[in-house]
Amino acid sequence: EDILIGTPVTLRRHPDLHPVAGMLLNTLVLRHYPSGLKIVRDFLAEVRRRTTEAFENRDYPFEDLVDILDVPRNTARNPLFDVMLNLLNQSDYTGQIPAIPQSGDHLFDFHSVPSRFDITFSAVDMGEILYFSLEYSTVLFSTRTMERLIDYLKRIIRQLPHALEEPIVRIDVLSHTERE
């Protein structure tokens, strides 16, 4: 019930920084509390509000935050979060998008590649479709574990439009087989 997720943000908000060469990025840590008794709609509003507040502090250096929190450092781990979420607009995305299957069952494109974080979700807004990709640490997770995670996410996404007035705990993550 306490989730920390990292997300990269650009630091090119000021016009004087536009011509500067190189990537000017910072990392925000988004902290959310998805208590099982919270109503889904209320939790989503809370996520929006807390994320907007976090973005207001996007210029505060991540390393300074880590120093102030006096978190133990380990070169093999991120000091504040294990999961990175990278949301891109279509205009910002420079990678290749594979052909999107017409079936609604293929909401995620899945590849197992080494990752800088335990798990990195990337999403590209393609207008009518959100294209997701997933990277994960192959030292920590098996392909089967990630396939199950994707199945769980699909189940959650399919239920959300019908569960907005329900408590989070009512969202069914497990398949019938897993429940049995």
Side-chain angles (χ1 to χ4, degrees):
E1 295 186 353
D2 185 1
I3 298 176
L4 296 157
I5 299 173
T7 189
V9 292
T10 182
L11 295 177
R12 292 187 184 272
R13 295 187 306 159
H14 194 278
D16 291 344
L17 295 175
H18 291 208
V20 175
M23 290 184 21
L24 297 175
L25 292 177
N26 193 18
T27 303
L28 282 182
V29 181
L30 306 175
R31 189 171 199 176
H32 299 292
Y33 303 95
S35 167
L37 298 179
K38 285 184 182 175
I39 302 300
V40 170
R41 181 183 307 278
D42 296 342
F43 176 65
L44 293 175
E46 182 181 303
V47 166
R48 174 181 276 212
R49 181 184 52 77
R50 292 178 65 83
T51 300
T52 301
E53 289 170 359
F55 270 78
E56 290 173 4
N57 297 305
R58 72 193 308 163
D59 296 326
Y60 192 83
F62 177 76
E63 292 301 319
D64 290 354
L65 176 63
V66 173
D67 289 341
I68 286 174
L69 294 175
D70 197 27
V71 179
R73 302 268 183 152
N74 176 344
T75 56
R77 311 279 309 162
N78 185 287
L80 297 179
F81 60 89
D82 299 317
V83 176
M84 175 67 83
L85 174 63
N86 190 9
L87 300 174
L88 299 165
N89 292 321
Q90 184 176 5
S91 61
D92 297 333
Y93 185 68
T94 58
Q96 289 285 77
I97 299 285
I100 305 291
Q102 295 305 307
S103 167
D105 289 338
H106 296 90
L107 298 176
F108 292 86
D109 184 24
F110 176 71
H111 300 281
S112 61
V113 296
S115 178
R116 286 185 45 202
F117 304 98
D118 292 0
I119 299 174
T120 301
F121 286 102
S122 295
V124 181
D125 182 354
M126 300 302 286
E128 296 285 323
I129 294 175
L130 278 178
Y131 172 79
F132 287 89
S133 65
L134 169 70
E135 291 179 5
Y136 64 91
S137 170
T138 56
V139 173
L140 297 174
F141 302 105
S142 70
T143 299
R144 181 64 195 127
T145 298
M146 289 295 101
E147 289 171 344
R148 274 197 326 268
L149 175 65
I150 290 170
D151 286 342
Y152 297 152
L153 291 172
K154 284 181 183 181
R155 272 190 215 98
I156 291 168
I157 289 169
R158 286 185 185 121
Q159 292 175 62
L160 276 181
H162 313 287
L164 293 175
E165 303 307 325
E166 299 290 331
I168 292 172
V169 72
R170 297 278 313 267
I171 294 178
D172 196 7
V173 177
L174 298 178
S175 70
H176 177 71
T177 305
E178 288 173 314
R179 188 171 299 100
E180 291 296 318

